[in-house]
Every structure is written in structure tokens, then in C-alpha cells.
Amino acid sequence: MDEDVTPPTVGSSLALRDIPIPDYCDVVIVPTGGVDEPDPRVWADAIFSHENTPLSKRGVRALRDEAIRLFDMVPPPEKEYVADEVVGSEALIIDDDANLRIRIGVALLPGGELLQVTTAVRYRSVRGRLAFGPRRLMHAAAVNTLARRAPTTLRRRASIPGPSVRSVTGQATRKALGRSSSASR
């Protein structure tokens, strides 16, 4: 965690620190819905958690996995986003692969009433450009939907008695795949 704790402003983001001139960038700002949660890591987890995914997408994913099993193929592992870094009131998610550099910044804007999600993507190859092409069309709308659902997810988690429902599986999965925050970028 860095020493700089200046609050983010509209348009500024840790995502743009690592990729100052992205090939693709979007910024989504949504209200927090009255949820008083100051930790951006919790917001990032709520936005990209499995329980926040719309039922239609979960259903399509289940059908895909069953079709893959019919052909004795192994379905891809479920991707979990885990905040790699928190600076002030912004969490940064780093999701790089051989073809794309992706940074997602989740920040609470001053006052705590607005949540800003900034995505910056840099293509590393033509294959990356082709792979991200279809996602590019609906990315901002999908992130907007997930961010708007996050307050409900946090309220639901707060109503469940006992320990937090957040698990360590995302970190463990990323380390097993060699994608931990300490891995070279």
C-alpha cells in the first residue's frame, strides 16, 4: 500500500497510472445506494463476485460447462477478480495475460455517495485486439450493471449473521495459476 492517500477525483484512477494511454478505456460512475462502506476492496469484491453476476449469465455459463463436459473437455476455471493494491479510497485490480494488460480501478469518490469503476486495456498483440473486440461492445454496460448491483450484494452480505462470506479462493486460485500480485507483470 502506498503512502499517497489523496482522494480520487472524477476521471483520475490507478488504472490510468499503469496504462496512461490505453487502447480501450471506460469510466462508469454509479451511486452507492446509501451503503456506508468505506473500503474500496470490499466494493471491488462485491462488484466482481459470483453472487453479483446476473442469473442469465450464470445460466449460460452452466449450459456451456455442461456442453463441454459432454465432449470430455475441461471447462475453464472460474475467473475471480481480487484487488491487488489499495491506495487511499481506490482499489486496483490487475488482470494481465499474454495478449492483454487490464487494469480496473474501483474508487469511492469524496463524500462516499458515488462509486467510480475505471477500466484501462492495452493490447499486447493482434490476438488480444481480436479477443477483446466483442467484449469492447458491451463492456461499459456490463460494468454498469455489476456496479449498480453491488450495493444490494453488500446489503445481503451484511444481513447474513456470522463471519464474512468472502473467501480466500480467489487469491489461492490466482497464486496457483501464477497470477498473484507478486508475479512479474
Side-chain angles (χ1 to χ4, degrees), residues 11-61:
S12 70
S13 176
L14 291 174
L16 297 174
R17 176 195 67 191
D18 294 346
I19 306 175
I21 303 175
D23 292 318
Y24 172 82
C25 184
D26 66 46
V27 178
V28 174
I29 299 175
V30 299
T32 58
V35 175
D36 186 28
E37 175 56 59
D39 187 0
R41 188 181 304 263
V42 172
W43 281 103
D45 180 56
I47 290 170
F48 296 108
S49 70
H50 175 70
E51 65 189 291
N52 197 29
T53 306
L55 288 175
S56 59
K57 187 171 180 181
R58 284 190 238 169
V60 169
R61 192 174 294 147

Side-chain angles (χ1 to χ4, degrees), residues 120-175:
V121 178
R122 184 83 178 158
Y123 308 128
R124 289 184 167 175
S125 65
V126 173
R127 179 176 264 172
R129 183 179 296 276
L130 293 173
F132 194 74
R135 287 186 265 168
R136 179 184 188 131
L137 299 174
M138 295 299 295
H139 187 272
V143 170
N144 188 4
T145 299
L146 292 173
R148 286 189 179 279
R149 294 170 59 102
T152 304
T153 300
L154 289 177
R155 280 191 207 98
R156 184 174 39 249
R157 287 180 179 178
S159 68
I160 298 173
S164 173
V165 290
R166 189 162 180 235
S167 67
V168 186
T169 58
Q171 291 283 6
T173 303
R174 290 177 81 177
K175 286 183 180 178

Side-chain angles (χ1 to χ4, degrees), residues 97-120:
D97 63 23
N99 301 309
L100 295 169
R101 289 182 65 207
I102 300 174
R103 302 292 187 272
I104 303 170
V106 178
L108 278 167
L109 295 178
E113 296 294 321
L114 293 174
L115 186 66
Q116 174 179 299
V117 182
T118 305
T119 305

